[in-house]
Amino acid sequence: MSIILGSLILLSISYCFHIWFRLKIGEALIPAVGTIVVVLLLFGLSPLSFQWGLISLALFAVVGMVVFIISMINHKERKPVSQWEIVPIIFLVLNCFASVLYLGDHLHYNDEFHQWGAAVKYMLENDRMPLYDDFLGDQYYFGTSLFHLFYQMIGGYNEGNMYASSFLLQWIGILLPISAYKMKDWKICAIYTLLAWFGGYSIYVYFGKGIYTDAAVFCLAGGLTGWSLLLENKKRLLPVLIPGLGLLFYFKPYIGLAFCIYVLFFFFGMSLMADQKKSVLIKKSLFWGVLLMALALLVLHLDGRLLSSGVWDNQAINDAIYRLRVSWSVMAESLFGRDLSRYSQLNTYAISLWTLEVAMVGIAGYLSDEKEKSHRLIVLMVSSIASFIVFVLYAESFIISYEESLTGRSVGRYYSIVTGYLFLVMLSYLLHVIKKDSKRIMPVRFGIVLMLSIFILGIDEQYVIAATSWNNSEAESEESYLLAQTVIDKLEEHYIQEDTKILFFDQCCANYIVEESLPYYLGDVISSYLTEVYGYGLDGAHTRFAWDKSKGIYSFDELLEEKGYDYVLIWTTNDYLNQWLPKVMDVEGTLIDGGLYRVIYRDGEAQKLTYEGDLY
């Protein structure tokens, strides 16, 4: 019920914007979300607390309810049901779905434990915004976490509700293009909603269930772009576009900023290319301009890296060329041979879906006598794809860590983001086309139904596991999650007391869910791999995604003494640790996986590890 109550407050706030700016309710949801995020941010940074922010939002909602009631009383004639706006109805139905789909769920994915979910949990427990030096030891942009916090403050800490609020945030963006539609258009809106639901599942692995910020970004960006293309009354543009662009950047700064540019690129590009006499020139200028801008950024960044390091030797140049070559090969493999969503039964490759999206726009434009408009849209779509590929290459080669870039773990998600974005743009254009009463567009309607049927084929029993809480026992992370909970219970029952500190070691990095969830649930009691050494090898100490050659296993005692660790939990060991750790300090018995060892200090110096028990 807390999800529905929170959404009623959200709708009440949106009604104020509906009255003030003459927005549709679906449009007004965007500034309403922005209001929630900004109000909680300001109160979280102030000497006051989030509770005062929630009270302020509740008062805002009361104003909205009063305005709604007064407007209903003043209307002498009630609108027939067929003239009601359909988005509020769909949104309330989605709230009911969310309340059921994620009932009793828990977090499942790695980054949720140390980023998005961790931020929500921190803010809820501490009643303030995290400081950059006390939240996981690094600067952090709080993305969608403030929106999730809003629902958590209403219903209390609930991990299932984090998935529910994330689900709703995605749909606020998706529903934006149909905000002007009425109940009489329910068939078109139903097809659009179903296509977005099932298509999203096959495009992005965490669509629906997941608090990663990627889906919120591409849904909002795609919704804004599609809505701006369909918008007839431009007076409603700025009250939605400005907060929408602000949310995009705040949700995920680098990717969000890129999509801010794409939203504006589509909006202004469609207008600039409307003059057919100049269309060819402008099309080429826009296409090559975007590519050259992205390439210039890449070159300048590479040049800046070499200049800032003061190194122009062959080794630096060879390293840069090698990283570019590896990144490009990983990207090419992901483009043609890696599914966008591992849960879907469909083999959805980025290149095939991009082809589908462009082809559908072209066919719809040809059959609806809007060739010129569809050509403009296709040029913008192709330009976006090309520039995004360069952007990903740039990020993989120079922004993210060297070790992570070689694995290419992020490439698939990047492709999913731009594919999902263009998918919503395509659907918005198809909405515009199929509203026309013409026999020529019957093939377009047929194609939409066929596309929906194909995406439905991507659903099987795996959908229940991946997108709901109904069969968590079969989830791929469930065994690890339950193991982590068992370890936590043992530690809390037998070992953890006030001010206890535990160093977590994982030589083989064998279980990321355990590695991430122990600090999430135990807090400062146990070290996090993000801020502390968690393994040793020939290359030094393993920290985060890299090796620190300045620290070796011979500094292990200094690590214990510096932080005053009481225990060492060796989740996995290996031959290197088994051979070298006993040479650094006295170890009672042999090192085993899952072993907990007490640190014995003499005169403030760590001298010995004594075996306490097996936590497996």
Side-chain angles (χ1 to χ4, degrees), residues 531-585:
T531 57
E532 193 59 272
V533 172
Y534 66 99
Y536 288 110
L538 294 174
D539 293 323
H542 202 186
T543 58
R544 197 176 172 95
F545 300 114
W547 289 93
D548 186 350
K549 295 182 179 180
S550 67
K551 299 177 181 178
I553 196 167
Y554 284 101
S555 63
F556 180 68
D557 55 345
E558 297 175 6
L559 172 64
L560 298 175
E561 294 160 7
E562 179 184 357
K563 299 293 179 65
Y565 286 111
D566 302 290
Y567 296 94
V568 178
L569 171 56
I570 299 179
W571 191 253
T572 61
T573 185
N574 61 6
D575 293 340
Y576 182 88
L577 193 68
N578 293 339
Q579 177 183 354
W580 289 100
L581 187 58
K583 296 181 180 181
V584 176
M585 62 174 13

Side-chain angles (χ1 to χ4, degrees), residues 199-218:
Y201 177 75
S202 291
I203 290 173
Y204 183 65
V205 68
Y206 304 124
F207 181 79
K209 181 177 176 177
I211 55 176
Y212 282 66
T213 57
D214 297 335
V217 167
F218 79 69

Side-chain angles (χ1 to χ4, degrees), residues 58-112:
L59 292 175
F60 200 165
V62 170
V63 172
M65 287 297 296
V66 172
V67 171
F68 174 74
I69 293 171
I70 292 174
S71 65
M72 291 292 290
I73 294 173
N74 290 338
H75 272 88
K76 296 179 180 179
E77 295 182 2
R78 292 185 178 181
K79 290 183 180 179
V81 174
S82 62
Q83 294 301 310
W84 289 4
E85 292 183 28
I86 196 169
V87 166
I89 308 299
I90 296 176
F91 186 65
L92 289 174
V93 171
L94 291 171
N95 269 268
C96 296
F97 274 114
S99 299
V100 175
L101 288 177
Y102 310 114
L103 183 65
D105 213 339
H106 60 77
L107 301 184
H108 286 265
Y109 306 112
N110 299 344
D111 287 351
E112 295 173 346

Side-chain angles (χ1 to χ4, degrees), residues 214-266:
D214 297 335
V217 167
F218 79 69
C219 288
L220 178 56
L224 281 171
T225 302
W227 166 78
S228 67
L229 296 177
L230 302 178
L231 186 63
E232 296 178 356
N233 184 359
K234 300 303 181 183
K235 292 181 179 179
R236 304 204 308 267
L237 180 69
L238 292 182
V240 178
L241 187 62
I242 291 176
L245 295 177
L247 287 171
L248 280 176
F249 178 75
Y250 192 62
F251 284 171
K252 198 176 182 74
Y254 292 116
I255 295 294
L257 179 59
F259 276 104
C260 286
I261 295 172
Y262 285 137
V263 171
L264 296 173
F265 178 60
F266 271 81

Side-chain angles (χ1 to χ4, degrees), residues 327-337 415:
S327 297
W328 178 252
S329 64
V330 171
M331 288 175 58
E333 178 188 353
S334 299
L335 185 63
F336 294 98
Y415 285 156

